[in-house]
Amino acid sequence: MSGVRKVASAVALLAIVAVLSLGAAAGGMGPFFDGIRALGTFYLSTAPPQIAELVLGPSYRGLSSYSPEVVTSIVWDYRGLDTYFETAVFFLAIIGAVAIYRGIEEPVLRRPASGLSPIVRAVTKFLIPINIAVAASIALHGHLTPGGGFQAGAALAVAPVIVIVVFSRRYLLERGVTKLKALFLRSVGLIGIALVVLIPVIWSVLSGEWAWVMQNQWKPGAEVFSYPAYLGGALISGSIWFLNLFEFLAVSFGFTILFLLISIDEDTVRSCMIRGGEECDRY
Amino acid sequence: MITPELALMLIFVSIAFVFAYLAVEERKLIRAVVYSAVQSAAFAFLFYLLGAPDIVLVYVPVTVGIYPAALLFLIRKTEEVENP
């Protein structure tokens, strides 16, 4: 009976793959092109400044996002408001988790933090700085090479998870990574994103010239405002570098809050939730 | 007809399929999470072969790091073996 069941589940999985492949091959995903589609050609030829200059001539800045990494320029410039609201949805979820866990803190001195074996701990101590360096490079080079704020934030969020599993939750708290600090840094990231988005509008109100929400380089009809594309000779692609940086802060510390919260001992959470807030405050 | 790229993609699809099957069948939930992470790693290679390094960079930490970790925290609050 168990054998028949196993075969049936394998056949079912294969059938799902086969049906999806058949649908895709029969044109269910729209027509396949050999070359690049017209919209793709537009993005590829306008996003990187050098190519935009060649293709469009001196008027290129009105269409260019000054970022050679086309995916990031689509995410943060061409369709930036989509990304803004995606970020908002993600952070509403985190605010929900924080609200559910409000007032719940694990008692500090429960048992000495031991963690996994010395070998695992030693390897982890080497891996964590590498993880942080890779995440920072993904974020700060996000406008030049594949990557960006969300990718980097997700990469950095792996570090607290590993520390919680290999060492302990207490180890992380003793090193200063607390919920309050994470909330603060996450808020700094969110406020930074909102500021970068709104600075063109604030500038527009103050100066009387026209500028769009989330404008990066000047656009036709809003020619005066423009984020600096170069900083000290280095290409920073205007607002894209700042948005990547703030998204990196917000995502990584948002995930850190979540993992700090869900790693609280279940008995503590349960006693707090059942007996009410008064009991929890003594921790 | 079959390019090296296509052959590699076939290999990774097969690995992903085998580990997806193992993840579905495994009764011990922690092992199932590990199988699922291996399947995701194979998918990450597929995304790379399909020319989407941006997706790979977000796919690897989320599906191999954060998602299994969230599942492991969940499993810790329940039983370790799935009962039929």
Side-chain angles (χ1 to χ4, degrees):
Chain A
M1 188 59 201
S2 168
V4 176
R5 201 183 146 277
K6 281 183 176 171
V7 172
S9 78
V11 170
L13 273 174
L14 263 181
I16 292 170
V17 175
V19 167
L20 286 177
S21 316
L22 195 69
M29 286 166 68
F32 284 108
F33 291 104
D34 281 337
I36 305 169
R37 296 179 202 211
L39 189 61
T41 315
F42 170 77
Y43 287 136
L44 285 170
S45 56
T46 55
Q50 294 88 351
I51 299 174
E53 201 168 2
L54 281 178
V55 174
L56 302 167
S59 67
Y60 66 98
R61 256 187 106 172
L63 291 172
S64 180
S65 66
Y66 263 69
S67 168
E69 160 60 2
V70 180
V71 176
T72 304
S73 44
I74 292 172
V75 165
W76 276 126
D77 191 340
Y78 294 115
R79 41 147 278 188
L81 280 179
D82 278 14
T83 312
Y84 185 81
F85 285 110
E86 276 169 24
T87 306
V89 169
F90 176 65
F91 292 112
L92 280 178
I94 286 171
I95 289 167
V98 173
I100 288 172
Y101 277 84
R102 70 189 178 281
I104 300 176
E105 266 301 322
E106 203 160 12
V108 179
L109 286 171
R110 175 158 278 196
R111 57 167 185 259
S114 52
L116 298 184
S117 74
I119 299 169
V120 183
R121 278 187 285 170
V123 171
T124 308
K125 276 184 180 170
F126 281 106
L127 282 179
I128 296 299
I130 296 173
N131 186 322
I132 294 170
V134 168
S137 85
I138 293 174
L140 302 177
H141 283 237
H143 59 301
L144 302 174
T145 51
F150 189 87
Q151 287 92 326
L156 186 65
V158 174
V161 174
I162 293 175
V163 170
I164 287 172
V165 171
V166 172
F167 295 91
S168 67
R169 186 172 181 275
R170 222 183 98 192
Y171 183 90
L172 201 62
L173 293 176
E174 281 169 358
R175 297 298 177 284
V177 187
T178 59
K179 191 181 94 175
L180 264 181
K181 276 186 195 164
L183 263 174
F184 172 74
L185 285 169
R186 169 193 152 280
S187 306
V188 167
L190 283 183
I191 292 168
I193 292 173
L195 267 183
V196 173
V197 169
L198 291 176
I199 276 175
V201 179
I202 297 167
W203 179 89
S204 170
V205 169
L206 292 179
S207 70
E209 299 280 350
W210 190 262
W212 302 101
V213 176
M214 217 163 187
Q215 180 171 337
N216 179 6
Q217 302 304 310
W218 65 262
K219 293 279 171 287
E223 271 110 354
V224 189
F225 182 84
S226 196
Y227 273 103
Y230 294 88
L231 196 70
L235 181 66
I236 61 161
S237 310
S239 62
I240 294 178
W241 189 84
F242 297 101
L243 289 169
N244 270 339
L245 177 69
F246 289 128
E247 175 90 353
F248 172 54
L249 273 182
V251 170
S252 52
F253 287 101
F255 272 127
T256 305
I257 296 167
L258 281 189
F259 285 113
L260 278 175
L261 290 178
I262 63 175
S263 61
I264 296 177
D265 181 56
E266 194 186 346
D267 294 335
T268 311
V269 177
R270 189 168 288 173
S271 73
C272 277
M273 292 221 171
I274 291 172
R275 278 184 253 150
E278 293 294 317
E279 288 286 323
C280 304
D281 289 339
R282 73 179 177 190
Y283 293 137
Chain B
M1 185 65 192
I2 291 192
T3 59
E5 237 179 24
L6 205 60
L8 267 177
M9 279 163 76
L10 266 175
I11 291 170
F12 283 121
V13 166
S14 315
I15 293 172
F17 175 76
V18 168
F19 277 93
Y21 170 77
L22 287 174
V24 170
E25 278 299 315
E26 182 59 57
R27 283 282 160 77
K28 289 178 180 165
L29 293 173
I30 290 174
R31 276 193 196 174
V33 169
V34 174
Y35 290 146
S36 172
V38 175
Q39 180 237 332
S40 305
F43 273 13
F45 280 106
L46 278 175
F47 280 126
Y48 184 76
L49 289 170
L50 287 168
D54 291 84
I55 305 291
V56 175
L57 282 176
V58 74
Y59 197 81
V60 169
V62 169
T63 60
V64 184
I66 295 168
Y67 186 58
L71 285 176
L72 289 177
F73 278 121
L74 187 68
I75 290 169
R76 202 179 67 164
K77 294 182 195 300
T78 172
E79 289 165 2
E80 286 189 2
V81 181
E82 178 188 4
N83 290 315

